[in-house]
Amino acid sequence: MNAVVERVRAAQVAVGRISLAPLLVRGGIFVTVLAGFALAFPAEVLTGRPLLFLTVVALLPTVGPRRIWPTFAAVVMVGGWVLATDGYGRPVALWRLLALATLLYLGHTLCALAALLPYDAVVDPELITRWLLRAGAVVLGSAVLAVLLLQVAGLGGETGHQWVTVLGLLVAVGTAALLGWLLRRR
């Protein structure tokens, strides 16, 4: 029984030491992931129990950014987009695709920042500002490059290509596997 009491006291001390900056970063993760779900999933799905499920899934990377939960949330978000385009016939719009990619990357980079920050860290606000500005530059550069490449290739327009989504997913999984292999090899 003493072990349980000690754990409860340790949890109370830890909750009392939480600082504002790491809490705001984790709140940003929750809002970003939830906004990505709202953008990715069709409106018919965002009611009742599915909304509760998506809220819990958005909460998971907030609580455990070092674990598998950010990846799980990203897969659910992409699955929602595929469900909306394939299952509900939502047209593939460039603005929605770019916004979803932005929210995916922002959620990912906020999870990386939260994984580095302990709950009781004293953080200079300039660090978070520079982190978000760097993420914004990456997002803006990627969006401009994507639009330019679509214009050059002549693939823009109202029609979407499902095989491009599957190919992109395979490239992402292959890149992650290659990076994991290279990391283990070292």
Side-chain angles (χ1 to χ4, degrees), residues 53 72 86 102 104 139 180 183:
F53 170 73
F72 179 69
D86 221 17
T102 298
L104 277 167
V139 165
L183 192 65

Side-chain angles (χ1 to χ4, degrees), residues 1 4-5 25 44 48-49 51 56 58 61 84 86 93-94 110 125-126 128 150 152 155 158 171-172 175 177 180-181:
M1 190 65 168
V4 173
V5 171
V25 169
E44 297 87 7
R49 286 188 184 165
L51 183 61
V56 169
D86 221 17
L94 183 61
L110 285 174
E126 185 179 332
I128 296 173
L150 281 174
V152 168
L155 291 177
E158 296 297 319
V171 167
T175 302
W181 177 74

Side-chain angles (χ1 to χ4, degrees), residues 19-161:
S19 62
L20 183 62
L23 201 59
L24 286 175
V25 169
R26 289 171 187 262
I29 294 169
F30 178 73
V31 169
T32 301
V33 172
L34 201 58
F37 289 157
L39 186 67
F41 280 90
E44 297 87 7
V45 176
L46 294 175
T47 57
R49 286 188 184 165
L51 183 61
L52 179 65
F53 170 73
L54 292 175
T55 304
V56 169
V57 171
L59 192 60
L60 290 174
T62 303
V63 175
R66 289 187 191 128
R67 303 196 189 284
I68 189 121
W69 303 123
T71 303
F72 179 69
V75 168
V76 169
M77 199 180 302
V78 171
W81 183 78
V82 170
L83 174 73
T85 56
D86 221 17
Y88 283 84
R90 180 190 284 172
V92 177
L94 183 61
W95 71 268
R96 188 180 313 266
L97 191 59
L98 290 176
L100 188 62
T102 298
L103 291 172
L104 277 167
Y105 182 73
L106 189 58
H108 167 76
T109 192
L110 285 174
C111 283
L113 179 60
L116 294 174
L117 294 177
Y119 283 106
D120 60 349
V122 177
V123 180
D124 185 13
E126 185 179 332
L127 175 107
I128 296 173
T129 304
R130 285 186 302 174
W131 190 284
L132 292 175
L133 285 174
R134 193 172 301 130
V138 168
V139 165
L140 182 64
S142 298
V144 168
L145 184 63
V147 169
L148 288 176
L149 287 175
L150 281 174
Q151 291 300 319
V152 168
L155 291 177
E158 296 297 319
T159 61
H161 302 285

Side-chain angles (χ1 to χ4, degrees), residues 153-177:
L155 291 177
E158 296 297 319
T159 61
H161 302 285
Q162 191 71 28
W163 64 270
V164 175
T165 303
V166 173
L167 182 66
L169 183 61
L170 290 175
V171 167
V173 168
T175 302

